[in-house]
Amino acid sequence: MVTPGGTTPFGTANGGPVSVMGVGQLAVGGMELIRVKKERLQLIGWELPPQLSKVLPNRSAARVCTELRPGDELVEVNGTDVTELEQGDIEPMFEARPLKLLFRRRPEPSKEKQEEGMRVVGNIRIEQVQKVAAYGDPAQYLECFNLAVLVIHNLAVEAKNLELLHSEPRILRVLLEVMPADATSPSLRRLIFSTLTCLCQEKAVSGRIFHAMAEYFQNCQKTDSSLHKYIMCCANLYYTSMSREEVKPDRGMLMFVSRMSAEDDALVARRALIEIFHGMSQAPSELRRKFLSREILVLACSYLENPSPEIQIRAYESMYFCTLGACAPDLWSDLDILGRMVRTAGVAQAHADENAEDLLLRKHADALWEISLRALHHCLQYEVLVRQMRIPDLDRYLMELLVDGRKPPELHKVAADLIAGLLQSSISGNLWTRWRGLGVGERLVGWFKVHGKKILESRMDAAQRLSAAESLDAMLHMVLFAVEVDSSMVVALVAEDVLGCIAHRLEELAAGYERWNDMAGGHKLTEDLEAERAWMRAEGEGATAGAPVEPTRRRLSRVRLGLVVFFAKDL
């Protein structure tokens, strides 16, 4: 037994000294555990688990620390389990100070009372087996192994048992070793694949399981097609369990999974593939740029028209993420990615219009359009893509959206931002000519008429009011650029509905401004009032330093009148 507090020098595998100090001896699970720290001891044999292989001669370890012997297994280094680690992972740990090592010793054969064909351990009588043939043949052992895997599988299908199964790392190690073996039967391999898929729900091992499966498929000339669903599921679990910072896009792996998906035309395979691409598309932008290629984009575009709403939405989101962080304008232009997104969204919108009572179809079409409009807005910075935005389906949708009161405010905001951007682009004149033919002036007034009633309602909660206000702000921003492109728009915009919405928004902003100043102590408001009085004196309105401040609503009435004058002067 190691004496607590005793120290003995020993050497490591590479001959360097490590200090360890013994603190006692424990017995766990029938195995003798010797806990040591801070002393140099014996050479390590790099096996799994690592073992002490030799006692250095003429060292105090041989005299003092007699309990540590060759064959003792290294279990922990400073509390970290090293039974599954390689030499290169363990050696750096020996540099830590203080250093605490935990060894495990297998029990020596006990001196039990031997009987004919039996041995006694404690109160338990165990049959003594001299030869394998005396107990059973290989077929029986294989059957026992199959039953053991079946038991593990039945436990693994219950999520509550996963922690228990993962607490014994040998279970996963044995399954991964047996899975690719030539001697493994197809039925046993299917059972192992199913078990590993259940174990893959644990994030810490999902990558290890997925890559082991992928290596098996890549090394096989012909694989069992019934196994494809398992690797697809594992790939899905692996890539969706990672954060955006952890994702490392792998072009070869994605194309490998796509081939698996092509061989298995099931919905689950396609869904798993797009989930993997969706995960890879959210990786850091520098990794996305290296990952994307024509082959990858062609694959992703093929899912834009998938009939499954879930898969289609995921494909749209993936293309949007790729556009944000890794857009290659020439490649996007060659593949007509934006045009395909818009036309496919138009088809979904037409389908929703034909089934007007189906709320899910309408929401699906709205989602496709919102993602498409956001992608278009981001691509306004690329001239080669701007020239491709003269899309009839896009023109019709934007004009119809202006008079469709059923659409969510967020969609109106995104559309208004895109229109404002297009009105500042090189194709603004061409687009405006087409939009005027579709009645853009009347439709803009119609938007204010439809949404003015909602905006003026006081029954909206805070979230709805904020969303409506942001939508109105985006629309007013777009109107400014519309007037710059076509000054005759002023005639339409002096309508009562338009000015009513503008005045209401100004009142809201002024009220918020006053609340903000009240919270800030009011000095900023006083400075603004003094500046206003100075301006009024300069304009000859006879304001004095002590003149009362006119009420906010009256001031806003003057602002409203000023807007009318502003628009009218361009007539």
Side-chain angles (χ1 to χ4, degrees):
M1 178 181 297
V2 178
T3 304
T7 60
T8 306
F10 75 103
T12 61
N14 58 10
V18 175
S19 250
V20 185
M21 176 183 296
V23 299
Q25 173 176 299
L26 302 171
V28 178
M31 298 182 185
E32 193 176 15
L33 298 182
I34 299 174
R35 194 181 297 274
V36 296
K37 71 176 184 179
K38 195 142 178 152
E39 66 173 333
R40 284 174 293 171
L41 214 86
Q42 310 169 18
L43 293 176
I44 301 294
W46 298 108
E47 306 171 14
L48 285 178
Q51 297 180 7
L52 295 176
S53 59
K54 181 180 180 182
V55 177
L56 293 179
N58 303 320
R59 298 292 180 92
S60 56
R63 300 188 301 272
V64 179
C65 196
T66 56
E67 284 75 10
L68 285 166
R69 300 192 293 270
D72 288 345
E73 299 174 352
L74 180 61
V75 178
E76 293 181 2
V77 177
N78 283 344
T80 301
D81 185 359
V82 297
T83 56
E84 299 293 325
L85 299 183
E86 302 292 341
Q87 177 180 357
D89 299 320
I90 300 177
E91 282 187 335
M93 298 181 182
F94 289 157
E95 302 298 327
R97 295 296 183 273
L99 178 61
K100 186 177 181 180
L101 307 179
L102 176 64
F103 287 89
R104 173 176 61 193
R105 178 173 301 150
R106 302 285 178 176
E108 297 179 357
S110 57
K111 298 179 181 179
E112 309 111 10
K113 180 181 177 182
Q114 300 292 331
E115 300 181 5
E116 285 185 36
M118 301 293 294
R119 68 186 177 125
V120 180
V121 179
N123 297 323
I124 303 175
R125 295 165 59 83
I126 303 175
E127 181 180 358
Q128 188 76 20
V129 179
Q130 299 297 333
K131 297 180 180 179
V132 172
Y135 181 76
D137 55 33
Q140 290 176 305
Y141 281 107
L142 183 58
E143 183 179 0
C144 289
F145 182 79
N146 287 351
L147 291 173
V149 175
L150 182 59
V151 169
I152 295 173
H153 176 271
N154 292 341
L155 289 172
V157 295
E158 294 286 341
K160 62 183 180 181
N161 297 325
L162 293 177
E163 183 178 0
L164 174 63
L165 294 173
H166 285 296
S167 66
E168 177 47 72
R170 287 177 295 183
I171 293 176
L172 179 59
R173 186 178 72 228
V174 170
L175 292 176
L176 292 178
E177 288 175 355
V178 175
M179 181 254 299
D182 295 335
T184 303
S185 65
S187 59
L188 178 58
R189 185 172 285 114
R190 283 193 292 271
L191 183 61
I192 293 176
F193 263 76
S194 180
T195 306
L196 289 172
T197 302
C198 296
L199 296 176
C200 196
Q201 296 177 70
E202 177 62 37
K203 178 181 177 181
V205 299
S206 60
R208 182 180 175 189
I209 294 174
F210 168 62
H211 286 101
M213 287 185 176
E215 183 179 1
Y216 165 74
F217 275 97
Q218 291 170 338
N219 292 334
C220 285
Q221 297 295 329
K222 185 177 181 181
T223 59
D224 184 353
S225 60
S226 65
L227 302 178
H228 293 175
K229 59 185 177 183
Y230 298 117
I231 189 172
M232 298 297 291
C233 187
C234 287
N236 190 3
L237 290 169
Y238 172 51
Y239 283 103
T240 56
S241 66
M242 294 185 288
S243 65
R244 293 182 62 176
E245 292 73 22
E246 294 174 321
V247 174
K248 295 182 179 179
D250 188 332
R251 186 183 304 170
M253 187 59 68
L254 182 65
M255 297 311 299
F256 162 71
V257 175
S258 71
R259 289 192 293 273
M260 295 290 101
S261 175
E263 294 177 15
D264 186 359
D265 198 32
L267 180 63
V268 64
R270 295 193 296 272
R271 184 180 289 117
L273 175 61
I274 199 60
E275 286 293 342
I276 295 170
F277 179 63
H278 188 271
M280 290 183 176
S281 69
Q282 298 181 69
S285 57
E286 61 274 10
L287 296 179
R288 269 180 282 173
R289 284 191 289 270
K290 296 177 182 177
F291 160 68
L292 288 177
S293 65
R294 179 180 293 272
E295 186 179 22
I296 295 293
L297 290 175
V298 169
L299 172 65
C301 286
S302 67
Y303 281 79
L304 293 176
E305 302 173 5
N306 193 282
S308 170
E310 294 179 3
I311 294 177
Q312 193 174 39
I313 285 290
R314 281 309 210 193
Y316 265 70
E317 290 176 345
S318 301
M319 294 307 303
Y320 172 69
F321 290 135
C322 291
T323 302
L324 280 185
C327 181
D330 292 335
L331 186 55
W332 257 245
S333 174
D334 289 344
L335 297 177
D336 192 24
I337 290 176
L338 298 179
R340 295 181 68 169
M341 293 177 71
V342 167
R343 287 189 290 272
T344 304
V347 172
Q349 185 64 53
H351 186 45
D353 292 340
E354 293 172 0
N355 301 270
E357 302 302 321
D358 194 327
L359 182 60
L360 291 178
L361 286 178
R362 195 161 70 239
K363 287 185 175 181
H364 177 66
D366 290 345
L368 295 184
W369 270 114
E370 182 176 351
I371 298 171
S372 300
L373 298 182
R374 289 183 184 276
L376 287 163
H377 185 265
H378 178 75
C379 290
L380 287 171
Q381 59 187 303
Y382 306 113
E383 181 61 28
V384 66
L385 297 179
V386 169
R387 291 195 295 268
Q388 290 189 331
M389 294 184 189
R390 290 176 284 214
I391 309 172
D393 287 339
L394 177 62
D395 296 336
R396 285 192 295 269
Y397 179 76
L398 292 176
M399 295 302 103
E400 292 171 2
L401 183 62
L402 292 176
V403 291
D404 191 341
R406 301 172 301 171
K407 301 298 185 184
E410 294 82 3
L411 187 53
H412 286 278
K413 178 184 180 306
V414 174
D417 288 339
L418 176 61
I419 293 174
L422 289 172
L423 290 175
Q424 301 172 74
S425 71
S426 60
I427 61 172
S428 59
N430 180 273
L431 289 177
W432 189 254
T433 300
R434 295 163 63 173
W435 292 348
R436 285 196 65 177
L438 296 172
V440 62
E442 295 79 5
R443 291 175 182 274
L444 276 175
V445 175
W447 187 93
F448 285 100
K449 185 174 183 178
V450 171
H451 293 272
K453 297 177 182 178
K454 297 180 181 179
I455 293 171
L456 297 176
E457 284 181 358
S458 58
R459 293 176 294 177
M460 293 189 296
D461 58 31
Q464 292 174 328
R465 192 177 299 111
L466 177 62
S467 180
E470 290 178 344
S471 177
L472 176 58
D473 289 344
M475 191 61 65
L476 292 175
H477 184 248
M478 180 266 288
V479 165
L480 291 176
F481 293 105
V483 172
E484 286 186 6
V485 173
D486 185 358
S487 60
S488 65
M489 281 293 296
V490 175
V491 176
L493 296 176
V494 294
E496 183 177 356
D497 293 314
V498 179
L499 295 179
C501 288
I502 295 174
H504 175 74
R505 184 57 179 149
L506 288 174
E507 290 173 355
E508 282 189 332
L509 293 172
Y513 179 72
E514 287 189 353
R515 286 195 299 272
W516 181 84
N517 276 282
D518 289 341
M519 293 173 60
H523 21 274
K524 199 163 176 50
L525 179 60
T526 303
E527 295 171 5
D528 290 346
L529 293 176
E530 291 297 328
E532 182 181 6
R533 292 192 184 104
W535 177 80
M536 292 171 65
R537 285 196 297 271
E539 292 296 317
E541 296 187 15
T544 62
V549 180
E550 57 183 333
T552 299
R553 190 170 297 277
R554 189 183 308 165
R555 293 168 65 200
L556 289 171
S557 297
R558 293 196 302 106
V559 172
R560 183 173 179 177
L561 180 60
L563 288 171
V564 176
V565 174
F566 169 77
F567 286 131
K569 72 180 182 179
D570 288 334
L571 293 177

